[in-house]
Amino acid sequence: MKKYVLDLTVRSVQRVSEKHVLIKLTTSPRQGDTACQPLPDMLPGQFVEVRVDGSSSTFLRRPISINFVDRENNELWLLVAMIGEGTRRLGRLVAGDTLNCVLPLGNSFTMPSTDSPRGSYLLVGGGVGMAPMLYLGAQMRQRGIEPTFLLGGRTATDILQLDLFRQYGRVCITTEDGSLGERGFVTNHSVLHEHFDRIYTCGPKPMMVAVARYAVPLGIECEASLENMMACGLGACLCCVEKVKDDGNVCVCKEGPVFNVKRLLWQI
């Protein structure tokens, strides 16, 4: 897909938890135009690299998963975890600010074929890894498929955008302290007693490894969106290298971030 470097306008910044903000971005009219240009095509699982302006300590762009694309309102949504100087500065953006983005980057999740019989699909997200699951689920629902979401966190406050997830499918939840949903990790949830044709996952690596170790012995196709450190998003800086079975070392930002778990050396 064609990549763009765009100055996007911040439409709103919403605090969704103590450490997360939802940034909604849109395009601005080009010089001489009155209407905004539509956002480029973007697929579930892809990401953007955002430039952090005004920081003396943040020199590299920050990779952010595409949380949602609202075509009706011409908005790109980014769910940002404020864990460092760069992302904390992003959390201080206000409506009307400009955010420079390179997009869309990386590959995407494999969408169910519209020609094949309807199947059952499980979308597993943990932490900020829940973000790409929302857009993936929305695109599935648009194709007439109702996915099952399995969301995990340490406590209830870690489960984000719950009302939005419920618009697109069945939602199952685990929390480590039992404050919401079933107690434990995502791989402890009772929904895993059901049959699924394909599983998609994004989140902390130990969680994704556990999901892969559940799926592969059962013959379930499973895709994971890796969260390796990415600086350039184009495969030039080699920050995000991952060793895979078939090609040796690959750049996650260019060959991924989505991989079939059978390619990964996760000792499964």
Side-chain angles (χ1 to χ4, degrees):
M1 295 178 68
K2 185 176 179 181
K3 300 174 179 60
Y4 300 83
V5 181
L6 300 176
D7 283 327
L8 298 179
T9 300
V10 177
R11 183 163 282 175
S12 66
V13 180
Q14 177 188 357
R15 196 71 173 256
V16 294
S17 80
E18 184 178 341
K19 59 181 180 180
H20 295 89
V21 291
L22 176 62
I23 302 173
K24 296 184 179 182
L25 303 165
T26 191
T27 54
S28 300
R30 292 178 181 174
Q31 189 171 5
D33 292 342
T34 57
C36 294
Q37 297 295 314
L39 287 162
D41 290 336
M42 289 171 270
L43 300 173
Q46 292 186 306
F47 66 99
V48 306
E49 287 274 357
V50 302
R51 190 179 70 204
V52 181
D53 294 326
S55 172
S56 59
S57 61
T58 307
F59 304 104
L60 301 175
R61 289 179 180 265
R62 292 294 183 262
I64 309 290
S65 296
I66 293 171
N67 178 222
F68 193 77
V69 180
D70 182 348
R71 288 292 171 191
E72 184 176 348
N73 294 303
N74 198 40
E75 290 179 346
L76 165 64
W77 297 7
L78 303 179
L79 185 64
V80 178
M82 298 179 291
I83 55 177
E85 168 59 26
T87 49
R88 284 196 295 270
R89 185 166 289 274
L90 293 177
R92 294 196 289 271
L93 292 169
V94 297
D97 284 346
T98 297
L99 190 62
N100 184 269
C101 300
V102 182
L103 76 164
L105 295 171
N107 66 353
S108 61
F109 291 108
T110 302
M111 292 295 292
S113 171
T114 54
D115 299 327
S116 63
R118 299 275 191 264
S120 54
Y121 302 92
L122 181 66
L123 283 55
V124 186
V128 78
M130 297 178 204
M133 298 294 111
L134 181 66
Y135 188 34
L136 176 60
Q139 290 293 294
M140 285 185 173
R141 193 60 180 264
Q142 199 172 70
R143 292 174 175 233
I145 299 170
E146 182 176 358
T148 297
F149 298 102
L150 177 53
L151 310 177
R154 290 188 178 91
T155 188
T157 55
D158 295 323
I159 308 300
L160 309 173
Q161 301 181 299
L162 186 52
D163 289 342
L164 292 172
F165 278 107
R166 285 173 171 157
Q167 292 180 24
Y168 300 111
R170 178 175 56 144
V171 179
C172 303
I173 297 169
T174 64
T175 49
E176 294 176 30
D177 64 0
S179 55
L180 185 64
E182 298 185 12
R183 180 187 294 272
F185 302 114
V186 291
T187 47
N188 302 132
H189 199 283
S190 58
V191 75
L192 294 181
H193 296 304
E194 300 178 16
H195 168 77
F196 292 98
D197 297 297
R198 184 181 286 269
I199 297 176
Y200 306 84
T201 185
C202 184
K205 184 175 179 179
M207 183 205 80
M208 293 194 291
V209 170
V211 171
R213 288 176 174 169
Y214 163 81
V216 171
L218 295 175
I220 303 172
E221 289 295 311
C222 180
E223 292 183 342
S225 178
L226 274 56
E227 296 187 318
N228 297 32
M229 181 182 294
M230 305 179 207
C232 71
L234 302 171
C237 68
L238 305 181
C239 288
C240 62
V241 166
E242 179 83 15
K243 199 168 202 175
V244 295
K245 293 179 181 177
D246 48 0
D247 294 321
N249 293 320
V250 298
C251 291
V252 169
C253 67
K254 189 174 180 181
E255 301 294 328
V258 179
F259 291 85
N260 188 304
V261 296
K262 293 176 186 175
R263 292 188 66 194
L264 303 171
L265 298 178
W266 282 356
Q267 299 178 358
I268 54 179

